[in-house]
Amino acid sequence: MAAASVEPLEPSPAGLDHDDEQPVVNGDSGEAPGGEPAGAMTTAAASSETSSSSSTSLLSCLNSEVPASCEYGRVLGKRVLWATVVLAAALFLGASQTFETQDGECTTPNVTTRQGQLCGRLVTSPTGVLYHSFQGIPYAKPPVGDLRFREPQPAEPWTGLRGALQPGAVCLQSGQGAVLETLSPTVRQAVILFKALPSFLSGFFRQQSEDCLFLNVYSRELRPARPLPVLVWIHGGGFHMGSGGPDLYGPEYLMEASSAVVLVTLNYRLGPLGFLSLPSGGVPGNAGLKDQAAALRWVRDNIQAFGGDPSRVTIFGESAGGTSVQMHMVSPLSRGLFHGAISQSGSALNPRSSTSTAAGAERARRLARQLQVQASDDADLVRRLRLLPGKVINSMSESVLTDEERSRGLAVHPFVPTAEQDEPGAFLPATPQELVYRGLSAPVPYITGINSLEAGFMMNRERDLAGVHLDREMENLVPSDLGVQHGSPANTEIARAMKRAYFGDSDRPSQMQMAEFYSDLFVNWVAHRTVNLYSRLESPALYVYRFSHDGGLTLSRRLFDKKLPGVFHGDELAYLFTQSVVPSGNESEQDVLVRKRMAELWTNFAASGNPNGDSPLLTTKWMSANNQSQLYLEIGADLAMRRGLFSPNVGFWDTVYTVREGGART
């Protein structure tokens, strides 16, 4: 598949009717589960309303001229929506195709788990390495019916031999993923065929389900002389889209590393189905994070059957997956389930990655109002939400955001992790930030890092700057965890300081200046803060990296007509995983070397808690960043140790937070 430059959607071709018949996706009908009425609003009404508003929003908001009536009409909102759709298509949507043997038959020895026997496929990697593939393994009961919004329950056992030959269904997507799905067939086809969204999206629409709690296991050896270390991958996607499917997270590079490992990838519930929180209605929240913990318990109990060592489990993830990793580090439910951790471009200290208990409950009630659910109390509200089709609930999730919430940052999604009541079964008994500050992180070796231009995808075209009002932009983007009210004198003072630090007296910043600002604001600063906190300890080991190899495998080069130099958010994934779902890149010899180095570093870390090893590929020793050494590994065309800050201006944020918090937290 040849790479194509991606441009914003133009107006719909003449003759396309936005009110075409609503698609039936994945076998859903207009009837609520069990044949019961869907609360106070029928499914048909909900679907019609969702289709109309969503298709209009998507098609009009991605045009070069954004109508004033468009809810994403702000300049930042427009950039974010387009970037989200493109990245959703390429970065977060897996499982649109499956691996198959010629006859779809099992070719591995049988393995026995606590639920029953499985068989999979023996696969040969491009370099001739053999590995065993087991896909679509249920790790929990389907979270449907009365189990919707609840903590996951152990998977049911089965009798006989179960084939694990293809991935399970993708969890129902929320936000823009759901917006795409609710378009009428004609409009959706126009989006796919006429507007340069890759054709592989057509398969994505048919494979979403609430019955989605599956994982995949890949192993070089089922019966090794010594059990193999285990890497468990948690996908990104803002907690509202994505999957652990092999089309984006293919195992070949990690299977080819000199240190043999077992790789596990998984799905977890997303959007309101995964993160709705209403404690007074019996929904404490964080079901999606509890799904991840349930998958880790499954790994503990079953991974030996695949040659894995349950005492050497490393969790790793990117973006929201990297944030999840750090949340597992402070969660009492995950304690003892893993022994190393890697956060790629994600941190639990990001104020946009979680919300308060009160805010979570308010958003749950707003969602019910948007769905026209009338209830006598919160418990009745939850009961009625359980009667609605899951696609209807997830497709309406973004509509609960207020105008102010939309204007306050990048891809602010309403249903994210929340602080729970401090009681047994809570995943987050306080905010993740507070748990980190209390020093409650699991004492395990930790890798964390960033890419060189995280927010480059937001500013890749000159016209992305059109209409930017810099003073207003700064005021809107003052971080919420500074505790100042939007529009207050304190907010204005901080906004002016932000503008001076990044742009001086200029009101016409360059694309690169804006990209660097957004990168610091949304990723670099919280990563820097994470490093500051964890580096104060002498142990366990902390390793920090900056990925700067802007090669032919990066997603941004394979999907965009890339203008800005630098490594964008998610670009490093192509150096850890094969990605058959996106156009193939122009892989150079240097790209091959970098991806082999990445696989060596990550698998060495899984094996011993130390990324260094004997491989001749690793020409530089990766030194730890403990004792506030400010050391990090630059992963570029070559490996090199550096000392200093991720970017020149993160020190500005140190000063701002020190002043606001009285020097308590930096």
Side-chain angles (χ1 to χ4, degrees), residues 449-465:
I450 62 166
N451 294 344
S452 63
L453 194 65
E454 292 279 357
F457 66 89
M458 294 178 63
M459 301 301 304
N460 195 50
R461 304 163 303 159
E462 289 184 10
R463 67 181 179 184
D464 286 330
L465 284 171

Side-chain angles (χ1 to χ4, degrees), residues 60 65-74:
S60 62
E65 300 297 328
V66 182
S69 61
C70 175
E71 64 180 10
Y72 293 98
R74 291 189 62 258

Side-chain angles (χ1 to χ4, degrees), residues 52 128 131 138 144 214 505 532 634 655:
S52 174
Y131 66 91
V144 299
F214 300 100
D505 297 328
N532 269 359
E634 187 82 18
T655 301

Side-chain angles (χ1 to χ4, degrees), residues 54-227:
S54 298
S55 58
T56 300
S57 174
L58 179 67
L59 292 173
S60 62
C61 288
L62 294 182
N63 289 330
S64 57
E65 300 297 328
V66 182
S69 61
C70 175
E71 64 180 10
Y72 293 98
R74 291 189 62 258
V75 173
L76 175 62
K78 176 188 170 187
R79 287 198 301 273
V80 168
L81 179 62
W82 173 243
T84 301
V85 171
V86 173
L87 289 180
L91 182 55
F92 301 122
L93 303 182
S96 62
Q97 63 183 18
T98 61
F99 292 132
E100 290 284 357
T101 58
Q102 183 175 1
D103 298 318
E105 295 177 351
C106 293
T107 53
T108 66
N110 299 343
V111 298
T112 301
T113 70
R114 292 195 176 187
Q115 285 74 41
Q117 280 197 316
L118 290 167
C119 64
R121 293 173 302 105
L122 189 62
V123 182
T124 303
S125 79
T127 61
V129 173
L130 291 174
Y131 66 91
H132 305 271
S133 168
F134 299 86
Q135 297 175 324
I137 305 171
Y139 68 84
K141 286 182 181 178
V144 299
D146 190 56
L147 293 183
R148 180 185 285 176
F149 307 129
R150 299 191 189 277
E151 67 277 6
Q153 300 299 307
E156 295 281 4
W158 60 81
T159 58
L161 182 64
R162 179 182 181 124
L165 303 176
Q166 62 183 22
V170 172
C171 290
L172 292 179
Q173 309 286 293
S174 179
Q176 272 69 55
V179 167
L180 285 169
E181 182 172 328
T182 56
L183 297 177
S184 72
T186 306
V187 172
R188 186 171 72 231
Q189 193 66 16
V191 170
I192 294 170
L193 296 180
F194 290 97
K195 308 308 176 187
L197 286 179
S199 61
F200 56 78
L201 273 179
S202 60
F204 159 69
F205 298 117
R206 295 190 295 270
Q207 299 182 19
Q208 295 183 30
S209 173
E210 277 195 88
D211 181 3
C212 64
L213 299 186
F214 300 100
L215 54 77
N216 311 302
V217 180
Y218 308 100
S219 178
R220 285 235 298 260
E221 301 179 64
L222 297 182
R223 298 176 180 85
R226 182 191 178 194

Side-chain angles (χ1 to χ4, degrees), residues 232 292-300 313 315 328 334 337-338:
V232 179
Q292 297 172 16
L296 290 176
R297 290 193 295 272
W298 186 96
V299 168
R300 177 197 62 195
V313 174
I315 55 176
H328 283 285
S334 303
L337 295 177
F338 61 94

